[in-house]
Amino acid sequence: MTMFDDDTLERRGPRTGRTSRESFPGGKPRGPIIDQEGHEIRPETLEQGFREFHFAFGKDNPFAGNPFGNLTREQRIARLEALAKLLDVAFVLPGTNIRYGIDGLIGLIPVVGDIITTAISLWLVREARALGAPWYITARMLGNVAVDGVVGIVPFAGDAFDVMFRANMRNVRLLRRWLDKQPRI
């Protein structure tokens, strides 16, 4: 159906003076309430949902300061390992056995790419510290990130170094070795 500009600009009829914010006659909707899939919603279910819906800020919010919720220690470590694999060894160069990750790809963007990947690597170190890693482990991890970031700034040679050095995998391996030596509580 084609609409012309004249059809969209002319008024269809006199307005009744009622606005869309006014309540329906009798205080109830005139037909069934339908969701996006075409299923009918019972009004009492809808009212119950509005009573239960609320925002929690500050201390009342169980996810305050932690967008991932309350993860267990093992879940957090698994998340760090998955991120390190994505950054360092997610893909294989076709025809070879050379693995690279998003770190090597983003690092191809001069300076900005290396800043982004260094920031993500620093987040991994921060998470390791939050898991209780001692200062000497985090210092080694920071050293790996620093070497990766400084050498990565060099065009092309730094990107090749990023692919071979794999600072994030080294850091997760350091963290995992330290955690394996710790007694289970």
Side-chain angles (χ1 to χ4, degrees), residues 153-164:
I153 291 177
V154 178
F156 299 113
D159 297 319
F161 179 78
D162 269 348
V163 170
M164 298 302 166

Side-chain angles (χ1 to χ4, degrees), residues 25-155:
K28 296 196 178 200
R30 289 181 275 184
I33 301 170
I34 307 294
D35 67 1
Q36 292 180 347
E37 286 84 32
H39 304 290
E40 185 175 342
I41 299 174
R42 295 190 334 249
E44 57 271 5
T45 308
L46 190 63
E47 291 171 7
Q48 178 185 3
F50 282 129
R51 281 195 303 269
E52 293 174 1
F53 182 76
H54 69 282
F55 287 105
F57 296 103
K59 296 179 215 171
D60 299 332
N61 185 359
F63 302 114
N66 188 358
F68 301 105
N70 297 326
L71 298 177
T72 65
R73 185 180 188 118
E74 286 302 315
Q75 289 172 330
R76 291 174 76 178
I77 295 166
R79 181 180 65 193
L80 293 178
E81 288 175 343
L83 183 60
K85 286 178 183 177
L86 178 67
L87 286 169
D88 290 340
V89 294
F91 312 109
V92 177
L93 193 63
T96 67
N97 207 14
I98 299 173
R99 299 190 69 83
Y100 65 97
I102 293 178
D103 188 358
L105 295 175
I106 295 174
L108 291 172
I109 303 169
V111 182
V112 175
D114 295 308
I115 291 171
I116 291 170
T117 57
T118 301
I120 295 171
S121 298
L122 288 173
W123 181 80
L124 286 171
V125 176
R126 182 201 156 280
E127 281 291 304
R129 188 70 182 150
L131 284 169
W135 67 269
Y136 61 91
I137 297 292
T138 54
R140 285 184 64 188
M141 292 172 81
L142 285 171
N144 288 336
V145 172
V147 168
D148 187 36
V150 170
V151 177
I153 291 177
V154 178

